[in-house]
Amino acid sequence: MLKLRTLRVRSALIRECMAEFLGTFVLLLFGCSAAAQVKTSRETKGQYLSVNMSFSVGVMSAMYLTKGITGAHLNPAVTLSFCVLGRVRWGRLAPYCLSQILGAYVASALVYLVYYDAIMEFSGGVLTVYGPNETASIFATYPTEHLTLGRSFLDQIVGTGTLMLCILGLDEKRNTPAPTELIPPIVAAIVLGISMSMSGNCGAAINPARDLGPRLFTLSAGWGPEVFTCYNYWFWVPLVAPPVGGVFGSFMYLIFIDWQLPDPEPSQNPPAVFTVSDTSWEKGDGFKSAHF
């Protein structure tokens, strides 16, 4: 065991990026696998609810797996919101986001390998974005044909704003905090509720990495540039709208809840903004997540 400790990464930033990569990988592995199973079986081995529930289980599993290192953001919109709120250093934003996108890309590739035969049988070997045998939606999100661009943008703002509004108070000691060990299933339930109520328009991506990583994979795996040009270049909506919605939801939480709660008890020690990996890792000191 002592020999294995030499494999521990000493750089805090690299540890955190590894956690965000693996957490997002697990999230997408659950979700996209369920989408592939439902789609290629023509809903004989699951329904749309199966996909919603699998993404939620993926969130819970990824949080339990990585929460002790970064707080398990798993989502660039969440990371940006925490940066705006001062809970995460701005220097972490780009590395976290890149790690999340890469994790989603690799998970999509693995799902493709696992379900390759089923995808080819279902699509007749033609990988496309449109038509009854399209398979691109197994990986990335796409709008319904009747949806306007403005409405889809609003849809993603509302979904991501709801996510941030509901998760920010889970560890608020001045309110009604959730037990720390139960926060992952609670967040999963929030994601499930959003997916079940706000995914009809364009799949409830509410996560740029969840959409861009798989979309980049489908671009490179045979679906071609149509995954970006389809629906009048709609791809930018799940990239731009969730960060806007996340920041909007965070400010709603501040204005309506955080600033209205009683002032916290004075502390002898000044508050510090840190990530879990900034604690005395090598000394084996105890630590708590600074996020969620």
Side-chain angles (χ1 to χ4, degrees):
M1 186 65 180
L2 291 177
K3 292 182 179 180
L4 291 178
R5 289 174 65 87
T6 61
L7 298 177
R8 176 176 291 169
V9 176
R10 295 184 179 274
S11 168
L13 179 58
I14 293 177
R15 288 198 299 265
E16 294 160 18
C17 289
M18 289 169 61
E20 287 300 315
F21 167 86
L22 186 61
T24 312
F25 170 86
V26 169
L27 166 60
L28 269 293
L29 183 62
F30 272 97
C32 290
S33 292
Q37 178 171 302
V38 172
K39 168 74 75 171
T40 59
S41 71
R42 302 185 189 275
E43 298 193 0
T44 62
K45 298 178 181 178
Q47 291 77 40
Y48 192 61
L49 179 60
S50 305
V51 182
N52 292 335
M53 294 181 68
S54 293
F55 269 109
S56 300
V57 171
V59 168
M60 180 180 67
S61 302
M63 287 191 67
Y64 274 125
L65 184 64
T66 65
K67 187 173 181 290
I69 298 178
T70 62
H73 297 185
L74 316 174
N75 184 340
V78 173
T79 302
L80 174 64
S81 298
F82 280 139
C83 288
V84 171
L85 293 173
R87 298 192 181 192
V88 176
R89 297 189 181 101
W90 282 99
R92 256 56 176 179
L93 178 60
Y96 278 23
C97 292
L98 291 174
S99 300
Q100 292 155 0
I101 292 170
L102 182 59
Y105 182 98
V106 175
S108 300
L110 182 56
V111 171
Y112 179 67
L113 291 175
V114 170
Y115 279 95
Y116 177 83
D117 294 335
I119 290 172
M120 290 302 159
E121 189 280 331
F122 176 85
S123 65
V126 179
L127 303 179
T128 182
V129 176
Y130 297 103
N133 294 328
E134 64 82 17
T135 48
S137 62
I138 290 174
F139 301 97
T141 61
Y142 295 88
T144 55
E145 294 184 0
H146 65 268
L147 192 65
T148 64
L149 187 64
R151 206 78 66 193
S152 65
F153 197 86
L154 176 64
D155 174 274
Q156 291 296 289
I157 287 179
V158 172
T160 316
T162 302
L163 174 67
M164 291 305 303
L165 179 64
C166 293
I167 69 175
L168 281 173
L170 292 180
D171 64 349
E172 178 54 71
K173 300 298 187 289
R174 296 173 295 162
N175 201 345
T176 311
T180 302
E181 63 274 10
L182 293 181
I183 288 179
I186 293 172
V187 174
I190 293 170
V191 171
L192 178 60
I194 293 172
S195 299
M196 292 177 63
S197 61
M198 304 181 195
S199 61
N201 283 332
C202 46
I206 63 173
N207 182 340
R210 175 264 175 275
D211 192 83
L212 181 58
R215 199 177 298 274
L216 288 171
F217 169 74
T218 52
L219 172 68
S220 61
W223 279 264
E226 196 173 44
V227 299
F228 282 95
T229 61
C230 66
Y231 299 103
N232 196 25
Y233 295 88
W234 182 85
F235 78 92
W236 66 269
V237 173
L239 295 183
V240 177
V244 173
V247 173
F248 179 75
S250 298
F251 277 109
M252 283 191 64
Y253 173 78
L254 288 178
I255 294 170
F256 286 90
I257 303 297
D258 186 78
W259 294 343
Q260 313 310 324
L261 290 170
D263 293 332
E265 295 294 329
S267 175
Q268 295 180 350
N269 299 319
V273 178
F274 62 94
T275 61
V276 172
S277 292
D278 291 328
T279 59
S280 300
W281 180 287
E282 298 304 327
K283 295 180 181 179
D285 296 345
F287 53 80
K288 292 179 65 178
S289 172
H291 315 140
F292 285 154

